[in-house]
PDB file of all heavy atoms in Angstrom:
ATOM      1  N   SER C   1     116.527 124.735 131.454  1.00 87.00           N
ATOM      2  CA  SER C   1     117.218 124.494 132.716  1.00 87.00           C
ATOM      3  C   SER C   1     117.808 125.810 133.203  1.00 87.00           C
ATOM      4  O   SER C   1     118.616 126.433 132.511  1.00 87.00           O
ATOM      5  CB  SER C   1     118.330 123.459 132.507  1.00 87.00           C
ATOM      6  OG  SER C   1     119.102 123.318 133.680  1.00 87.00           O
ATOM      7  N   ILE C   2     117.405 126.237 134.405  1.00 89.00           N
ATOM      8  CA  ILE C   2     117.809 127.531 134.942  1.00 89.00           C
ATOM      9  C   ILE C   2     118.623 127.328 136.217  1.00 89.00           C
ATOM     10  O   ILE C   2     118.193 126.619 137.134  1.00 89.00           O
ATOM     11  CB  ILE C   2     116.577 128.407 135.275  1.00 89.00           C
ATOM     12  CG1 ILE C   2     115.622 128.497 134.077  1.00 89.00           C
ATOM     13  CG2 ILE C   2     117.017 129.778 135.757  1.00 89.00           C
ATOM     14  CD1 ILE C   2     116.157 129.248 132.905  1.00 89.00           C
ATOM     15  N   ASN C   3     119.787 127.935 136.290  1.00 90.00           N
ATOM     16  CA  ASN C   3     120.600 127.929 137.506  1.00 90.00           C
ATOM     17  C   ASN C   3     120.930 129.372 137.872  1.00 90.00           C
ATOM     18  O   ASN C   3     121.708 130.027 137.175  1.00 90.00           O
ATOM     19  CB  ASN C   3     121.902 127.142 137.286  1.00 90.00           C
ATOM     20  CG  ASN C   3     121.669 125.650 137.258  1.00 90.00           C
ATOM     21  OD1 ASN C   3     121.445 125.021 138.288  1.00 90.00           O
ATOM     22  ND2 ASN C   3     121.699 125.079 136.073  1.00 90.00           N
ATOM     23  N   LYS C   4     120.332 129.832 138.958  1.00 93.00           N
ATOM     24  CA  LYS C   4     120.463 131.232 139.344  1.00 93.00           C
ATOM     25  C   LYS C   4     121.410 131.392 140.518  1.00 93.00           C
ATOM     26  O   LYS C   4     121.427 130.580 141.435  1.00 93.00           O
ATOM     27  CB  LYS C   4     119.090 131.803 139.712  1.00 93.00           C
ATOM     28  CG  LYS C   4     119.092 133.294 140.018  1.00 93.00           C
ATOM     29  CD  LYS C   4     117.681 133.776 140.332  1.00 93.00           C
ATOM     30  CE  LYS C   4     117.676 135.275 140.624  1.00 93.00           C
ATOM     31  NZ  LYS C   4     116.323 135.770 140.956  1.00 93.00           N
ATOM     32  N   GLY C   5     122.205 132.466 140.487  1.00 95.00           N
ATOM     33  CA  GLY C   5     123.108 132.768 141.586  1.00 95.00           C
ATOM     34  C   GLY C   5     123.452 134.234 141.633  1.00 95.00           C
ATOM     35  O   GLY C   5     122.989 135.034 140.817  1.00 95.00           O
ATOM     36  N   LEU C   6     124.298 134.603 142.595  1.00 97.00           N
ATOM     37  CA  LEU C   6     124.683 136.000 142.787  1.00 97.00           C
ATOM     38  C   LEU C   6     125.330 136.601 141.550  1.00 97.00           C
ATOM     39  O   LEU C   6     125.099 137.767 141.217  1.00 97.00           O
ATOM     40  CB  LEU C   6     125.655 136.098 143.978  1.00 97.00           C
ATOM     41  CG  LEU C   6     126.209 137.491 144.284  1.00 97.00           C
ATOM     42  CD1 LEU C   6     125.109 138.395 144.835  1.00 97.00           C
ATOM     43  CD2 LEU C   6     127.379 137.405 145.259  1.00 97.00           C
ATOM     44  N   TRP C   7     126.139 135.821 140.833  1.00 97.00           N
ATOM     45  CA  TRP C   7     126.951 136.338 139.735  1.00 97.00           C
ATOM     46  C   TRP C   7     126.378 135.980 138.374  1.00 97.00           C
ATOM     47  O   TRP C   7     127.092 135.987 137.376  1.00 97.00           O
ATOM     48  CB  TRP C   7     128.382 135.824 139.883  1.00 97.00           C
ATOM     49  CG  TRP C   7     129.449 136.654 139.255  1.00 97.00           C
ATOM     50  CD1 TRP C   7     130.412 136.218 138.387  1.00 97.00           C
ATOM     51  CD2 TRP C   7     129.726 138.054 139.453  1.00 97.00           C
ATOM     52  NE1 TRP C   7     131.252 137.249 138.034  1.00 97.00           N
ATOM     53  CE2 TRP C   7     130.858 138.397 138.674  1.00 97.00           C
ATOM     54  CE3 TRP C   7     129.108 139.057 140.215  1.00 97.00           C
ATOM     55  CZ2 TRP C   7     131.392 139.688 138.641  1.00 97.00           C
ATOM     56  CZ3 TRP C   7     129.635 140.341 140.181  1.00 97.00           C
ATOM     57  CH2 TRP C   7     130.753 140.647 139.405  1.00 97.00           C
ATOM     58  N   GLY C   8     125.074 135.688 138.318  1.00 97.00           N
ATOM     59  CA  GLY C   8     124.451 135.428 137.031  1.00 97.00           C
ATOM     60  C   GLY C   8     123.614 134.167 137.026  1.00 97.00           C
ATOM     61  O   GLY C   8     123.640 133.365 137.958  1.00 97.00           O
ATOM     62  N   THR C   9     122.853 134.007 135.943  1.00 95.00           N
ATOM     63  CA  THR C   9     121.939 132.883 135.779  1.00 95.00           C
ATOM     64  C   THR C   9     122.228 132.177 134.467  1.00 95.00           C
ATOM     65  O   THR C   9     122.277 132.808 133.412  1.00 95.00           O
ATOM     66  CB  THR C   9     120.477 133.378 135.772  1.00 95.00           C
ATOM     67  OG1 THR C   9     120.199 134.053 137.011  1.00 95.00           O
ATOM     68  CG2 THR C   9     119.507 132.223 135.588  1.00 95.00           C
ATOM     69  N   SER C  10     122.451 130.865 134.534  1.00 94.00           N
ATOM     70  CA  SER C  10     122.666 130.101 133.301  1.00 94.00           C
ATOM     71  C   SER C  10     121.328 129.599 132.775  1.00 94.00           C
ATOM     72  O   SER C  10     120.405 129.318 133.545  1.00 94.00           O
ATOM     73  CB  SER C  10     123.614 128.927 133.536  1.00 94.00           C
ATOM     74  OG  SER C  10     123.016 127.961 134.381  1.00 94.00           O
ATOM     75  N   VAL C  11     121.222 129.494 131.458  1.00 94.00           N
ATOM     76  CA  VAL C  11     119.993 129.061 130.801  1.00 94.00           C
ATOM     77  C   VAL C  11     120.350 128.022 129.741  1.00 94.00           C
ATOM     78  O   VAL C  11     121.103 128.310 128.801  1.00 94.00           O
ATOM     79  CB  VAL C  11     119.262 130.250 130.125  1.00 94.00           C
ATOM     80  CG1 VAL C  11     117.938 129.781 129.519  1.00 94.00           C
ATOM     81  CG2 VAL C  11     119.028 131.382 131.118  1.00 94.00           C
ATOM     82  N   GLY C  12     119.815 126.815 129.891  1.00 91.00           N
ATOM     83  CA  GLY C  12     120.075 125.766 128.915  1.00 91.00           C
ATOM     84  C   GLY C  12     118.786 125.247 128.310  1.00 91.00           C
ATOM     85  O   GLY C  12     117.764 125.149 128.996  1.00 91.00           O
ATOM     86  N   GLY C  13     118.800 124.938 127.041  1.00 91.00           N
ATOM     87  CA  GLY C  13     117.615 124.412 126.371  1.00 91.00           C
ATOM     88  C   GLY C  13     118.009 123.746 125.071  1.00 91.00           C
ATOM     89  O   GLY C  13     119.190 123.595 124.757  1.00 91.00           O
ATOM     90  N   LYS C  14     117.002 123.371 124.282  1.00 92.00           N
ATOM     91  CA  LYS C  14     117.296 122.653 123.034  1.00 92.00           C
ATOM     92  C   LYS C  14     118.129 123.504 122.076  1.00 92.00           C
ATOM     93  O   LYS C  14     118.928 122.979 121.298  1.00 92.00           O
ATOM     94  CB  LYS C  14     115.997 122.193 122.360  1.00 92.00           C
ATOM     95  CG  LYS C  14     115.041 123.299 121.944  1.00 92.00           C
ATOM     96  CD  LYS C  14     113.767 122.713 121.358  1.00 92.00           C
ATOM     97  CE  LYS C  14     112.770 123.797 120.941  1.00 92.00           C
ATOM     98  NZ  LYS C  14     113.251 124.663 119.867  1.00 92.00           N
ATOM     99  N   GLU C  15     117.976 124.822 122.162  1.00 95.00           N
ATOM    100  CA  GLU C  15     118.731 125.695 121.264  1.00 95.00           C
ATOM    101  C   GLU C  15     120.232 125.656 121.570  1.00 95.00           C
ATOM    102  O   GLU C  15     121.060 125.721 120.663  1.00 95.00           O
ATOM    103  CB  GLU C  15     118.233 127.146 121.369  1.00 95.00           C
ATOM    104  CG  GLU C  15     116.823 127.371 120.863  1.00 95.00           C
ATOM    105  CD  GLU C  15     115.761 127.087 121.920  1.00 95.00           C
ATOM    106  OE1 GLU C  15     116.144 126.736 123.071  1.00 95.00           O
ATOM    107  OE2 GLU C  15     114.561 127.208 121.609  1.00 95.00           O
ATOM    108  N   THR C  16     120.577 125.564 122.853  1.00 94.00           N
ATOM    109  CA  THR C  16     121.997 125.572 123.205  1.00 94.00           C
ATOM    110  C   THR C  16     122.676 124.235 122.904  1.00 94.00           C
ATOM    111  O   THR C  16     123.905 124.128 123.009  1.00 94.00           O
ATOM    112  CB  THR C  16     122.197 125.934 124.692  1.00 94.00           C
ATOM    113  OG1 THR C  16     121.446 125.038 125.516  1.00 94.00           O
ATOM    114  CG2 THR C  16     121.740 127.359 124.952  1.00 94.00           C
ATOM    115  N   LEU C  17     121.906 123.240 122.526  1.00 92.00           N
ATOM    116  CA  LEU C  17     122.482 121.959 122.104  1.00 92.00           C
ATOM    117  C   LEU C  17     122.889 121.998 120.635  1.00 92.00           C
ATOM    118  O   LEU C  17     123.546 121.086 120.147  1.00 92.00           O
ATOM    119  CB  LEU C  17     121.477 120.820 122.340  1.00 92.00           C
ATOM    120  CG  LEU C  17     121.070 120.576 123.796  1.00 92.00           C
ATOM    121  CD1 LEU C  17     120.006 119.489 123.871  1.00 92.00           C
ATOM    122  CD2 LEU C  17     122.281 120.211 124.655  1.00 92.00           C
ATOM    123  N   THR C  18     122.476 123.064 119.949  1.00 95.00           N
ATOM    124  CA  THR C  18     122.863 123.248 118.545  1.00 95.00           C
ATOM    125  C   THR C  18     124.005 124.253 118.461  1.00 95.00           C
ATOM    126  O   THR C  18     124.364 124.891 119.455  1.00 95.00           O
ATOM    127  CB  THR C  18     121.685 123.776 117.709  1.00 95.00           C
ATOM    128  OG1 THR C  18     121.461 125.169 118.028  1.00 95.00           O
ATOM    129  CG2 THR C  18     120.414 122.987 117.980  1.00 95.00           C
ATOM    130  N   SER C  19     124.543 124.410 117.269  1.00 97.00           N
ATOM    131  CA  SER C  19     125.605 125.395 117.052  1.00 97.00           C
ATOM    132  C   SER C  19     125.089 126.685 116.421  1.00 97.00           C
ATOM    133  O   SER C  19     125.852 127.649 116.283  1.00 97.00           O
ATOM    134  CB  SER C  19     126.700 124.810 116.147  1.00 97.00           C
ATOM    135  OG  SER C  19     127.352 123.732 116.756  1.00 97.00           O
ATOM    136  N   HIS C  20     123.810 126.718 116.046  1.00 97.00           N
ATOM    137  CA  HIS C  20     123.336 127.857 115.264  1.00 97.00           C
ATOM    138  C   HIS C  20     122.102 128.568 115.819  1.00 97.00           C
ATOM    139  O   HIS C  20     121.771 129.654 115.343  1.00 97.00           O
ATOM    140  CB  HIS C  20     123.016 127.412 113.829  1.00 97.00           C
ATOM    141  CG  HIS C  20     121.857 126.461 113.731  1.00 97.00           C
ATOM    142  ND1 HIS C  20     121.965 125.130 114.041  1.00 97.00           N
ATOM    143  CD2 HIS C  20     120.569 126.662 113.357  1.00 97.00           C
ATOM    144  CE1 HIS C  20     120.796 124.540 113.863  1.00 97.00           C
ATOM    145  NE2 HIS C  20     119.934 125.454 113.448  1.00 97.00           N
ATOM    146  N   GLU C  21     121.433 127.997 116.800  1.00 97.00           N
ATOM    147  CA  GLU C  21     120.209 128.626 117.289  1.00 97.00           C
ATOM    148  C   GLU C  21     120.465 129.469 118.533  1.00 97.00           C
ATOM    149  O   GLU C  21     121.243 129.088 119.416  1.00 97.00           O
ATOM    150  CB  GLU C  21     119.158 127.559 117.613  1.00 97.00           C
ATOM    151  CG  GLU C  21     118.580 126.861 116.403  1.00 97.00           C
ATOM    152  CD  GLU C  21     117.422 125.951 116.788  1.00 97.00           C
ATOM    153  OE1 GLU C  21     116.302 126.485 116.941  1.00 97.00           O
ATOM    154  OE2 GLU C  21     117.628 124.740 116.934  1.00 97.00           O
ATOM    155  N   TYR C  22     119.777 130.614 118.608  1.00 96.00           N
ATOM    156  CA  TYR C  22     119.844 131.479 119.787  1.00 96.00           C
ATOM    157  C   TYR C  22     118.624 131.228 120.661  1.00 96.00           C
ATOM    158  O   TYR C  22     117.582 130.764 120.179  1.00 96.00           O
ATOM    159  CB  TYR C  22     119.908 132.951 119.374  1.00 96.00           C
ATOM    160  CG  TYR C  22     120.293 133.880 120.503  1.00 96.00           C
ATOM    161  CD1 TYR C  22     121.616 133.938 120.946  1.00 96.00           C
ATOM    162  CD2 TYR C  22     119.352 134.676 121.136  1.00 96.00           C
ATOM    163  CE1 TYR C  22     121.989 134.779 121.984  1.00 96.00           C
ATOM    164  CE2 TYR C  22     119.711 135.524 122.179  1.00 96.00           C
ATOM    165  CZ  TYR C  22     121.027 135.567 122.600  1.00 96.00           C
ATOM    166  OH  TYR C  22     121.386 136.399 123.639  1.00 96.00           O
ATOM    167  N   LEU C  23     118.743 131.532 121.934  1.00 96.00           N
ATOM    168  CA  LEU C  23     117.630 131.341 122.856  1.00 96.00           C
ATOM    169  C   LEU C  23     116.513 132.352 122.569  1.00 96.00           C
ATOM    170  O   LEU C  23     116.789 133.528 122.334  1.00 96.00           O
ATOM    171  CB  LEU C  23     118.102 131.506 124.298  1.00 96.00           C
ATOM    172  CG  LEU C  23     119.003 130.398 124.837  1.00 96.00           C
ATOM    173  CD1 LEU C  23     119.705 130.856 126.117  1.00 96.00           C
ATOM    174  CD2 LEU C  23     118.196 129.124 125.108  1.00 96.00           C
ATOM    175  N   PRO C  24     115.268 131.918 122.611  1.00 95.00           N
ATOM    176  CA  PRO C  24     114.157 132.854 122.403  1.00 95.00           C
ATOM    177  C   PRO C  24     113.974 133.765 123.613  1.00 95.00           C
ATOM    178  O   PRO C  24     114.482 133.483 124.707  1.00 95.00           O
ATOM    179  CB  PRO C  24     112.948 131.929 122.226  1.00 95.00           C
ATOM    180  CG  PRO C  24     113.309 130.697 122.987  1.00 95.00           C
ATOM    181  CD  PRO C  24     114.783 130.533 122.819  1.00 95.00           C
TER     182      PRO C  24
END
């Protein structure tokens, strides 16, 4: 899930639902 704007872009995925995995 990508939300882009002037001050940055958020990135959400299965990894961010965990406490230990980093985004690829």
Side-chain angles (χ1 to χ4, degrees):
S1 174
I2 308 292
N3 285 285
K4 185 178 181 181
L6 178 70
W7 205 232
T9 301
S10 67
V11 183
K14 62 183 179 64
E15 293 85 1
T16 56
L17 298 176
T18 73
S19 295
H20 66 282
E21 290 187 82
Y22 193 75
L23 290 164

